[in-house]
Amino acid sequence: MRKIYHLKTCSTCQRILKSLPQLDTFQLQDIKTEPMAVKQVEEMAQMAGSYEALFSKRATLYKEMGLKDEKLSEADFKRYILEHYTFLSRPVIIADGQIFVGNSPKVVQQAIAFLSHE
């Protein structure tokens, strides 16, 4: 399976997508216009090792809702990701059993290197 969960309106996501080799082999899902299903989030969490690994603590809502002052459980992370797309650390790139979460330069480079060596 090759899938990328992203936001079409996010310039960072768009820049990363343009840098990926073999982008035409991926199914793209704009999580704002096509919300993620519970099963999709569960599969991502299984691959990433936790829901927290998928969760964006840089989301504006995270601060606005005061979540940074709370002790969140895995169930909380899952619920928030499913409630609002902004809580997913984007983009999430799934390729051939590998998952790359977020937009840090290190993660993006790992994804590019993985896709370049296929």
Side-chain angles (χ1 to χ4, degrees), residues 54-90:
L54 299 171
F55 191 85
S56 173
K57 292 183 178 169
R58 295 189 328 199
T60 307
L61 269 182
Y62 179 70
K63 295 170 189 78
E64 286 176 0
M65 293 171 69
L67 299 178
K68 65 180 173 50
D69 302 320
E70 294 182 27
K71 177 91 176 91
L72 299 178
S73 67
E74 278 291 287
D76 293 328
F77 288 122
K78 178 182 180 182
R79 179 170 48 90
Y80 285 121
I81 290 168
L82 286 166
E83 273 179 15
H84 202 284
Y85 65 84
T86 196
F87 288 119
L88 182 70
S89 187
R90 307 171 300 272

Short mmCIF file of all heavy atoms in Angstrom, two decimals, residues 54-90:
data_model
loop_
_atom_site.label_atom_id
_atom_site.label_comp_id
_atom_site.label_asym_id
_atom_site.label_seq_id
_atom_site.Cartn_x
_atom_site.Cartn_y
_atom_site.Cartn_z
N LEU A 54 1.59 9.91 16.16
CA LEU A 54 0.86 10.53 15.05
C LEU A 54 0.35 11.92 15.39
O LEU A 54 -0.09 12.66 14.53
CB LEU A 54 -0.35 9.67 14.67
CG LEU A 54 -0.09 8.26 14.18
CD1 LEU A 54 -1.40 7.51 14.07
CD2 LEU A 54 0.65 8.27 12.86
N PHE A 55 0.40 12.26 16.67
CA PHE A 55 -0.24 13.46 17.18
C PHE A 55 0.65 14.69 17.05
O PHE A 55 1.83 14.65 17.38
CB PHE A 55 -0.59 13.24 18.66
CG PHE A 55 -1.50 14.28 19.24
CD1 PHE A 55 -2.87 14.18 19.10
CD2 PHE A 55 -0.98 15.36 19.94
CE1 PHE A 55 -3.72 15.14 19.65
CE2 PHE A 55 -1.81 16.32 20.50
CZ PHE A 55 -3.18 16.20 20.35
N SER A 56 0.07 15.77 16.56
CA SER A 56 0.81 17.02 16.40
C SER A 56 0.62 17.90 17.63
O SER A 56 -0.47 18.43 17.86
CB SER A 56 0.35 17.77 15.16
OG SER A 56 0.97 19.04 15.12
N LYS A 57 1.68 18.06 18.39
CA LYS A 57 1.63 18.95 19.55
C LYS A 57 1.89 20.39 19.14
O LYS A 57 1.87 21.28 19.98
CB LYS A 57 2.63 18.48 20.61
CG LYS A 57 2.22 17.15 21.21
CD LYS A 57 3.14 16.70 22.30
CE LYS A 57 2.61 15.37 22.86
NZ LYS A 57 3.55 14.73 23.73
N ARG A 58 2.10 20.61 17.86
CA ARG A 58 2.28 21.98 17.35
C ARG A 58 0.97 22.56 16.83
O ARG A 58 0.92 23.72 16.44
CB ARG A 58 3.33 22.00 16.23
CG ARG A 58 4.70 21.60 16.77
CD ARG A 58 5.83 21.80 15.81
NE ARG A 58 5.49 21.62 14.41
CZ ARG A 58 6.36 21.39 13.46
NH1 ARG A 58 7.63 21.28 13.76
NH2 ARG A 58 5.99 21.24 12.22
N ALA A 59 -0.10 21.77 16.85
CA ALA A 59 -1.39 22.24 16.37
C ALA A 59 -1.89 23.39 17.25
O ALA A 59 -1.77 23.35 18.47
CB ALA A 59 -2.41 21.10 16.39
N THR A 60 -2.45 24.41 16.61
CA THR A 60 -2.97 25.56 17.34
C THR A 60 -4.04 25.13 18.34
O THR A 60 -4.07 25.61 19.47
CB THR A 60 -3.55 26.60 16.35
OG1 THR A 60 -2.56 26.89 15.36
CG2 THR A 60 -3.95 27.87 17.04
N LEU A 61 -4.90 24.22 17.93
CA LEU A 61 -5.96 23.75 18.82
C LEU A 61 -5.40 23.08 20.08
O LEU A 61 -6.03 23.13 21.13
CB LEU A 61 -6.86 22.73 18.09
CG LEU A 61 -8.07 23.27 17.37
CD1 LEU A 61 -8.87 22.13 16.75
CD2 LEU A 61 -8.96 24.09 18.27
N TYR A 62 -4.25 22.46 19.96
CA TYR A 62 -3.61 21.80 21.11
C TYR A 62 -3.39 22.81 22.24
O TYR A 62 -3.69 22.56 23.40
CB TYR A 62 -2.29 21.17 20.67
CG TYR A 62 -1.50 20.47 21.74
CD1 TYR A 62 -1.95 19.28 22.29
CD2 TYR A 62 -0.29 20.98 22.18
CE1 TYR A 62 -1.21 18.62 23.27
CE2 TYR A 62 0.46 20.34 23.15
CZ TYR A 62 -0.01 19.15 23.69
OH TYR A 62 0.72 18.50 24.64
N LYS A 63 -2.91 23.98 21.86
CA LYS A 63 -2.66 25.03 22.85
C LYS A 63 -3.97 25.70 23.26
O LYS A 63 -4.22 25.94 24.44
CB LYS A 63 -1.68 26.06 22.28
CG LYS A 63 -0.30 25.49 22.04
CD LYS A 63 0.58 26.47 21.26
CE LYS A 63 1.88 25.83 20.83
NZ LYS A 63 1.76 24.96 19.68
N GLU A 64 -4.83 25.99 22.28
CA GLU A 64 -6.10 26.66 22.56
C GLU A 64 -6.98 25.87 23.52
O GLU A 64 -7.67 26.44 24.35
CB GLU A 64 -6.88 26.92 21.27
CG GLU A 64 -6.30 28.04 20.43
CD GLU A 64 -7.04 28.21 19.11
OE1 GLU A 64 -8.01 27.47 18.82
OE2 GLU A 64 -6.62 29.10 18.33
N MET A 65 -6.97 24.55 23.39
CA MET A 65 -7.81 23.69 24.24
C MET A 65 -7.13 23.37 25.57
O MET A 65 -7.71 22.68 26.40
CB MET A 65 -8.14 22.39 23.49
CG MET A 65 -9.02 22.61 22.28
SD MET A 65 -9.22 21.13 21.24
CE MET A 65 -10.19 20.07 22.31
N GLY A 66 -5.91 23.86 25.76
CA GLY A 66 -5.21 23.61 27.02
C GLY A 66 -4.72 22.18 27.17
O GLY A 66 -4.45 21.72 28.27
N LEU A 67 -4.60 21.47 26.05
CA LEU A 67 -4.21 20.06 26.12
C LEU A 67 -2.77 19.88 26.57
O LEU A 67 -2.42 18.85 27.13
CB LEU A 67 -4.42 19.39 24.75
CG LEU A 67 -5.86 19.37 24.24
CD1 LEU A 67 -5.92 18.72 22.86
CD2 LEU A 67 -6.78 18.66 25.21
N LYS A 68 -1.94 20.91 26.35
CA LYS A 68 -0.53 20.77 26.75
C LYS A 68 -0.39 20.68 28.26
O LYS A 68 0.63 20.21 28.76
CB LYS A 68 0.32 21.90 26.17
CG LYS A 68 0.00 23.29 26.66
CD LYS A 68 0.95 24.28 26.00
CE LYS A 68 0.67 25.70 26.24
NZ LYS A 68 0.47 26.22 27.52
N ASP A 69 -1.42 21.10 28.99
CA ASP A 69 -1.39 21.04 30.44
C ASP A 69 -2.03 19.77 30.98
O ASP A 69 -2.11 19.58 32.19
CB ASP A 69 -2.10 22.27 31.03
CG ASP A 69 -1.47 23.56 30.54
OD1 ASP A 69 -0.23 23.61 30.44
OD2 ASP A 69 -2.22 24.51 30.24
N GLU A 70 -2.51 18.92 30.10
CA GLU A 70 -3.16 17.68 30.52
C GLU A 70 -2.27 16.48 30.23
O GLU A 70 -1.41 16.53 29.36
CB GLU A 70 -4.49 17.49 29.76
CG GLU A 70 -5.53 18.52 30.09
CD GLU A 70 -6.83 18.27 29.35
OE1 GLU A 70 -7.12 17.10 29.01
OE2 GLU A 70 -7.56 19.25 29.12
N LYS A 71 -2.50 15.41 30.98
CA LYS A 71 -1.80 14.15 30.73
C LYS A 71 -2.71 13.33 29.83
O LYS A 71 -3.74 12.83 30.26
CB LYS A 71 -1.56 13.43 32.07
CG LYS A 71 -0.91 12.06 31.93
CD LYS A 71 0.60 12.16 32.00
CE LYS A 71 1.25 10.80 31.97
NZ LYS A 71 1.58 10.33 30.65
N LEU A 72 -2.34 13.25 28.55
CA LEU A 72 -3.19 12.56 27.58
C LEU A 72 -2.82 11.09 27.47
O LEU A 72 -1.64 10.73 27.44
CB LEU A 72 -3.06 13.23 26.21
CG LEU A 72 -3.49 14.70 26.13
CD1 LEU A 72 -3.25 15.24 24.72
CD2 LEU A 72 -4.94 14.89 26.52
N SER A 73 -3.84 10.25 27.39
CA SER A 73 -3.63 8.81 27.20
C SER A 73 -3.65 8.49 25.71
O SER A 73 -4.00 9.34 24.88
CB SER A 73 -4.76 8.04 27.90
OG SER A 73 -6.00 8.29 27.23
N GLU A 74 -3.31 7.26 25.38
CA GLU A 74 -3.38 6.83 23.96
C GLU A 74 -4.80 6.99 23.43
O GLU A 74 -5.00 7.41 22.29
CB GLU A 74 -2.93 5.37 23.83
CG GLU A 74 -1.43 5.19 23.79
CD GLU A 74 -0.81 5.74 22.50
OE1 GLU A 74 -0.98 5.12 21.44
OE2 GLU A 74 -0.18 6.81 22.55
N ALA A 75 -5.79 6.68 24.27
CA ALA A 75 -7.19 6.82 23.85
C ALA A 75 -7.52 8.28 23.56
O ALA A 75 -8.25 8.59 22.62
CB ALA A 75 -8.12 6.27 24.93
N ASP A 76 -6.96 9.21 24.37
CA ASP A 76 -7.17 10.64 24.13
C ASP A 76 -6.56 11.06 22.80
O ASP A 76 -7.19 11.76 22.02
CB ASP A 76 -6.54 11.48 25.25
CG ASP A 76 -7.23 11.30 26.59
OD1 ASP A 76 -8.46 11.07 26.61
OD2 ASP A 76 -6.53 11.39 27.62
N PHE A 77 -5.31 10.63 22.56
CA PHE A 77 -4.64 10.98 21.30
C PHE A 77 -5.47 10.50 20.11
O PHE A 77 -5.69 11.24 19.14
CB PHE A 77 -3.23 10.40 21.22
CG PHE A 77 -2.24 11.07 22.14
CD1 PHE A 77 -1.56 10.35 23.09
CD2 PHE A 77 -1.98 12.44 22.04
CE1 PHE A 77 -0.64 10.96 23.93
CE2 PHE A 77 -1.06 13.07 22.87
CZ PHE A 77 -0.39 12.33 23.83
N LYS A 78 -5.95 9.26 20.18
CA LYS A 78 -6.76 8.69 19.10
C LYS A 78 -8.03 9.52 18.89
O LYS A 78 -8.36 9.89 17.76
CB LYS A 78 -7.12 7.24 19.42
CG LYS A 78 -8.00 6.58 18.37
CD LYS A 78 -8.37 5.16 18.75
CE LYS A 78 -9.24 4.51 17.71
NZ LYS A 78 -9.64 3.15 18.11
N ARG A 79 -8.72 9.81 19.99
CA ARG A 79 -9.98 10.56 19.91
C ARG A 79 -9.77 11.93 19.29
O ARG A 79 -10.52 12.33 18.39
CB ARG A 79 -10.58 10.70 21.31
CG ARG A 79 -11.88 11.49 21.35
CD ARG A 79 -12.57 11.39 22.70
NE ARG A 79 -11.67 11.65 23.81
CZ ARG A 79 -11.45 12.86 24.34
NH1 ARG A 79 -12.07 13.92 23.85
NH2 ARG A 79 -10.63 13.01 25.36
N TYR A 80 -8.73 12.65 19.71
CA TYR A 80 -8.48 13.98 19.16
C TYR A 80 -8.11 13.92 17.68
O TYR A 80 -8.56 14.75 16.90
CB TYR A 80 -7.40 14.72 19.96
CG TYR A 80 -7.90 15.22 21.30
CD1 TYR A 80 -7.31 14.80 22.48
CD2 TYR A 80 -8.98 16.10 21.38
CE1 TYR A 80 -7.77 15.25 23.71
CE2 TYR A 80 -9.44 16.56 22.61
CZ TYR A 80 -8.84 16.14 23.76
OH TYR A 80 -9.30 16.58 24.97
N ILE A 81 -7.30 12.95 17.29
CA ILE A 81 -6.93 12.81 15.87
C ILE A 81 -8.18 12.57 15.03
O ILE A 81 -8.33 13.14 13.95
CB ILE A 81 -5.89 11.69 15.67
CG1 ILE A 81 -4.54 12.12 16.26
CG2 ILE A 81 -5.74 11.34 14.19
CD1 ILE A 81 -3.52 10.99 16.37
N LEU A 82 -9.08 11.74 15.54
CA LEU A 82 -10.31 11.45 14.79
C LEU A 82 -11.28 12.62 14.81
O LEU A 82 -12.04 12.82 13.86
CB LEU A 82 -10.98 10.19 15.34
CG LEU A 82 -10.27 8.89 14.96
CD1 LEU A 82 -10.77 7.73 15.81
CD2 LEU A 82 -10.45 8.60 13.48
N GLU A 83 -11.26 13.41 15.89
CA GLU A 83 -12.17 14.55 16.00
C GLU A 83 -11.80 15.69 15.05
O GLU A 83 -12.66 16.35 14.51
CB GLU A 83 -12.16 15.11 17.44
CG GLU A 83 -13.11 14.44 18.36
CD GLU A 83 -13.04 15.02 19.78
OE1 GLU A 83 -12.47 16.12 19.98
OE2 GLU A 83 -13.56 14.35 20.68
N HIS A 84 -10.50 15.94 14.91
CA HIS A 84 -10.10 17.09 14.09
C HIS A 84 -8.79 16.80 13.38
O HIS A 84 -7.80 16.45 14.01
CB HIS A 84 -9.96 18.34 14.96
CG HIS A 84 -10.08 19.60 14.17
ND1 HIS A 84 -9.05 20.07 13.37
CD2 HIS A 84 -11.10 20.47 14.03
CE1 HIS A 84 -9.46 21.19 12.79
NE2 HIS A 84 -10.68 21.46 13.16
N TYR A 85 -8.80 16.98 12.08
CA TYR A 85 -7.63 16.66 11.24
C TYR A 85 -6.37 17.40 11.66
O TYR A 85 -5.27 16.93 11.42
CB TYR A 85 -7.94 16.93 9.76
CG TYR A 85 -8.18 18.38 9.45
CD1 TYR A 85 -7.12 19.25 9.20
CD2 TYR A 85 -9.47 18.90 9.42
CE1 TYR A 85 -7.34 20.59 8.93
CE2 TYR A 85 -9.69 20.24 9.16
CZ TYR A 85 -8.62 21.07 8.92
OH TYR A 85 -8.83 22.39 8.66
N THR A 86 -6.51 18.55 12.29
CA THR A 86 -5.33 19.34 12.64
C THR A 86 -4.42 18.62 13.63
O THR A 86 -3.24 18.94 13.74
CB THR A 86 -5.75 20.73 13.19
OG1 THR A 86 -4.62 21.58 13.17
CG2 THR A 86 -6.28 20.64 14.61
N PHE A 87 -4.96 17.64 14.34
CA PHE A 87 -4.16 16.93 15.33
C PHE A 87 -3.26 15.84 14.73
O PHE A 87 -2.44 15.26 15.42
CB PHE A 87 -5.04 16.32 16.42
CG PHE A 87 -5.62 17.36 17.34
CD1 PHE A 87 -6.99 17.52 17.44
CD2 PHE A 87 -4.79 18.17 18.09
CE1 PHE A 87 -7.52 18.48 18.30
CE2 PHE A 87 -5.32 19.13 18.95
CZ PHE A 87 -6.69 19.29 19.05
N LEU A 88 -3.43 15.55 13.45
CA LEU A 88 -2.54 14.57 12.81
C LEU A 88 -1.27 15.28 12.38
O LEU A 88 -1.31 16.31 11.70
CB LEU A 88 -3.21 13.93 11.58
CG LEU A 88 -2.37 12.88 10.87
CD1 LEU A 88 -2.24 11.62 11.74
CD2 LEU A 88 -2.97 12.51 9.53
N SER A 89 -0.15 14.73 12.77
CA SER A 89 1.14 15.27 12.34
C SER A 89 1.28 14.94 10.85
O SER A 89 1.25 13.78 10.46
CB SER A 89 2.26 14.62 13.15
OG SER A 89 3.48 15.23 12.89
N ARG A 90 1.40 15.98 10.03
CA ARG A 90 1.34 15.78 8.59
C ARG A 90 2.66 16.11 7.91
O ARG A 90 3.39 16.94 8.41
CB ARG A 90 0.25 16.68 7.98
CG ARG A 90 -1.07 16.55 8.61
CD ARG A 90 -2.02 17.62 8.12
NE ARG A 90 -1.59 18.98 8.37
CZ ARG A 90 -1.86 19.66 9.49
NH1 ARG A 90 -2.51 19.11 10.46
NH2 ARG A 90 -1.45 20.90 9.62
#
